[in-house]
């Protein structure tokens, strides 16, 4: 392990260290943070797609708070969507735009067959430029 990479599992996000990955990695030089894909919690999964997207955005916001960052600091976001179609894409983009509050980071949408957990329909990962 090098001191050029700092791994974080802030208390505002699920602690994933026991299963082998960090929620956030901060790499030097350039102070970039790579936020692991955020997925919805069990309650949002039960409520459906729109609830999952909203929960994912909430969790992404918690990651930004842990980094002392804002949506303006997001360099790149990737949204993975099960059975991606125009309706689901529209829901994701609308909620992502509201989350970003006029910031315009690069965004990639990826249609996938499945995500890592049963019932999960959307996942969001972020690359964030940290402030000095």
């Amino acid at each position: 392990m090098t001191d050029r990479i700092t791994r974080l599992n802030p208390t505002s996000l699920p602690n994933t260290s026991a299963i082998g990955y960090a929620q956030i990695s901060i790499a030097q030089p350039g102070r970039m943070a790579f936020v692991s894909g955020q997925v919805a919690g069990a309650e949002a999964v039960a409520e459906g797609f729109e609830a999952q997207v909203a929960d994912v955005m909430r969790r992404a916001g918690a990651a930004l708070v842990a980094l002392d960052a804002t949506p303006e600091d997001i360099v790149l976001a990737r949204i993975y969507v099960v059975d991606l179609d125009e309706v689901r894409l529209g829901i994701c983009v609308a909620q992502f735009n509201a989350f970003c509050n006029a910031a315009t980071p690069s965004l990639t949408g990826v249609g996938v067959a499945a995500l890592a957990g049963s019932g999960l329909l959307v996942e969001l990962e972020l690359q964030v430029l940290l402030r000095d």
Side-chain angles (χ1 to χ4, degrees):
M1 180 73 119
T2 174
D3 61 353
R4 293 176 38 129
I5 300 174
T6 302
R7 309 275 185 217
L8 299 176
N9 280 302
T11 58
S12 56
L13 297 172
N15 184 349
T16 57
S17 59
I19 55 176
Y21 70 95
Q23 291 286 358
I24 300 169
S25 297
I26 303 171
Q28 299 289 341
R31 301 276 298 157
M32 290 291 299
F34 301 86
V35 180
S36 293
Q38 298 302 305
V39 297
E43 184 175 306
V45 169
E47 292 177 11
F49 186 77
E50 286 191 56
Q52 284 195 36
V53 176
D55 199 31
V56 165
M57 296 303 158
R58 182 190 62 76
R59 290 171 186 254
L64 290 178
V65 168
L67 292 167
D68 193 27
T70 70
E72 290 183 4
D73 301 313
I74 299 169
V75 176
L76 174 65
R78 285 187 196 92
I79 299 177
Y80 301 91
V81 181
V82 174
D83 297 327
L84 182 63
D85 60 15
E86 279 189 45
V87 172
R88 286 188 170 182
L89 180 61
I91 291 167
C92 288
V93 169
Q95 288 197 35
F96 183 75
N97 287 340
F99 166 75
C100 286
N101 192 28
T104 56
S106 297
L107 174 65
T108 301
V110 182
V112 297
L115 293 170
S118 177
L120 295 175
L121 300 174
V122 63
E123 183 169 345
L124 174 65
E125 67 180 17
L126 303 172
Q127 294 180 17
V128 181
L129 179 61
L130 300 178
R131 300 174 191 168
D132 291 330

